[in-house]
């Protein structure tokens, strides 16, 4: 297990269980996620990693018949406290999905959308947020001359970076990424991976990936999930080089999954 003496835990998960009706989908998850790191969640399809990712910004609240027990502390505040405003929570904990999903509007309006929802109307301020967010997602130079054009006219890899910029525009502190490169070609994937390295200087990133090479390349910590359990969690190099659990070893050496 991860053993750290410094005190820079961003998210602390305690005794988390999630049920879809009678189905016990996440079983007693305990882990700390550290600030300014990339944490990868790996495991076979259907093992609970995306379900777990969505508990971190309460996206599972939108699913019928879900019951969640346990605590998730984000900077000392339990995000499952009934006083928590989920809209505000999702500002702090942004999400990027597997399929790029820009809105059917201009590139500028995609990025300005969140800030406008939060009441920012000043054009100069919006211009600044749009440029900063696009630069943060390493795509400003590619799109600066076509901000008024539809985001849907961009390539898949560019669209995904627009979605990252859109998430950055509301100034989150945590960025969740659910297989953000699985629909992309190798060159676009490499750009997103480079971007993660840059983004973790300012954000805490949690990524679900099916690609173990990607986990090795981009993450500082890795958690291995299997049938709703978190089997093992360690710094990435240790988990891949010296797995403590036979099931982890079997998965990363390709014996199953």
């Amino acid at each position: 297990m991860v053993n750290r003496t410094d005190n820079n835990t961003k998210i602390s998960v305690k005794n988390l269980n999630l049920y879809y009706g009678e189905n016990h989908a996440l079983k007693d998850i305990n882990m700390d996620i550290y600030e300014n790191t990339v944490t990868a969640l790996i495991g076979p399809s259907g093992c609970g990693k995306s379900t777990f990712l969505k508990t971190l910004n309460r996206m599972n609240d939108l699913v019928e018949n879900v019951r969640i027990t346990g605590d998730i502390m984000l900077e000392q505040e339990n995000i499952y406290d009934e006083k928590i405003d989920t809209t505000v929570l999702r500002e702090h904990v942004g999400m990027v999905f597997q399929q790029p999903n820009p809105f059917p509007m201009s590139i500028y309006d995609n990025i300005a959308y969140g800030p406008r929802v939060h009441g920012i109307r000043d054009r100069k301020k919006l211009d600044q947020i749009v440029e900063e967010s696009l630069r943060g997602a390493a795509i400003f130079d590619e799109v600066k001359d076509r901000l008024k054009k539809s985001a849907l006219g961009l390539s898949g890899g560019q669209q995904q970076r627009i979605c990252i910029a859109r998430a950055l525009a509301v100034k989150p502190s945590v960025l969740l990424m659910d297989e953000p490169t699985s629909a992309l070609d190798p060159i676009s994937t490499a750009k997103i991976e480079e971007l993660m390295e840059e983004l973790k200087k300012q954000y805490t990133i949690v990524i679900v990936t099916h690609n173990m090479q990607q986990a090795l390349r981009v993450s500082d910590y890795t958690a291995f999930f299997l049938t709703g359990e978190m089997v093992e969690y360690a710094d990435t190099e240790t988990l891949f080089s010296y797995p403590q659990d036979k099931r982890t070893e079997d998965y990363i050496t390709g014996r199953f999954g």
Side-chain angles (χ1 to χ4, degrees):
M1 291 300 277
V2 175
N3 183 14
R4 283 174 67 121
T5 53
D6 52 350
N7 187 21
N8 65 347
T9 299
K10 184 75 175 178
I11 300 171
S12 190
V13 181
K14 304 274 189 229
N15 307 321
L16 179 75
N17 287 273
L18 181 143
Y19 304 82
Y20 292 120
E22 295 298 303
N23 174 22
H24 194 176
L26 291 176
K27 300 164 188 167
D28 213 26
I29 310 290
N30 289 277
M31 72 187 291
D32 286 342
I33 294 167
Y34 301 102
E35 201 162 4
N36 302 118
T37 60
V38 178
T39 300
L41 311 177
I42 64 168
S45 293
C47 68
K49 52 193 189 298
S50 288
T51 299
F52 173 68
L53 189 76
K54 289 174 187 162
T55 65
L56 301 178
N57 70 348
R58 292 186 52 176
M59 289 287 282
N60 291 307
D61 288 20
L62 307 170
V63 180
E64 269 185 59
N65 223 4
V66 161
R67 184 164 65 86
I68 295 170
T69 63
D71 296 331
I72 297 181
M73 308 299 289
L74 173 62
E75 294 170 345
Q76 314 307 314
E77 194 166 23
N78 185 2
I79 68 169
Y80 281 90
D81 188 304
E82 56 194 27
K83 298 195 293 288
I84 293 291
D85 180 337
T86 52
T87 306
V88 174
L89 171 66
R90 290 176 195 138
E91 271 179 63
H92 289 296
V93 186
M95 184 111 183
V96 177
F97 296 93
Q98 186 170 355
Q99 292 289 342
N101 60 344
F103 302 139
M105 51 178 73
S106 73
I107 294 167
Y108 184 99
D109 288 338
N110 260 275
I111 312 306
Y113 182 87
R116 281 179 177 139
V117 165
H118 298 299
I120 296 174
R121 294 281 179 270
D122 181 69
R123 182 68 191 210
K124 270 196 180 146
K125 180 76 179 148
L126 285 171
D127 287 351
Q128 183 187 347
I129 291 170
V130 168
E131 178 169 343
E132 281 174 6
S133 304
L134 290 168
R135 285 191 187 282
I139 192 168
F140 180 73
D141 290 339
E142 291 169 52
V143 300
K144 62 180 188 226
D145 300 324
R146 50 194 291 194
L147 294 178
K148 300 268 193 309
K149 297 206 164 105
S150 170
L152 301 177
L154 299 171
S155 71
Q158 289 173 321
Q159 286 187 21
Q160 192 63 301
R161 280 181 287 147
I162 291 295
C163 294
I164 292 169
R166 188 175 68 197
L168 299 183
V170 293
K171 303 278 189 282
S173 59
V174 177
L175 204 50
L176 310 178
M177 297 183 157
D178 195 356
E179 299 205 46
T181 63
S182 65
L184 305 181
D185 62 81
I187 290 170
S188 299
T189 295
K191 282 188 175 165
I192 301 275
E193 289 182 1
E194 281 168 29
L195 179 56
M196 279 188 243
E197 189 64 32
E198 204 51 42
L199 287 173
K200 78 175 181 187
K201 294 172 186 169
Q202 292 183 64
Y203 307 93
T204 300
I205 299 173
V206 187
I207 174 176
V208 166
T209 179
H210 264 108
N211 181 332
M212 282 184 282
Q213 297 313 116
Q214 181 170 71
L216 264 170
R217 285 193 299 266
V218 304
S219 71
D220 303 286
Y221 295 90
T222 298
F224 170 55
F225 280 73
L226 189 63
T227 58
E229 285 179 58
M230 190 180 71
V231 172
E232 192 165 343
Y233 177 43
D235 69 86
T236 297
E237 198 173 323
T238 300
L239 185 124
F240 279 93
S241 303
Y242 309 104
Q244 300 298 300
D245 191 293
K246 177 84 167 62
R247 293 168 294 173
T248 313
E249 186 181 348
D250 285 351
Y251 183 71
I252 62 180
T253 54
R255 290 196 194 109
F256 77 87

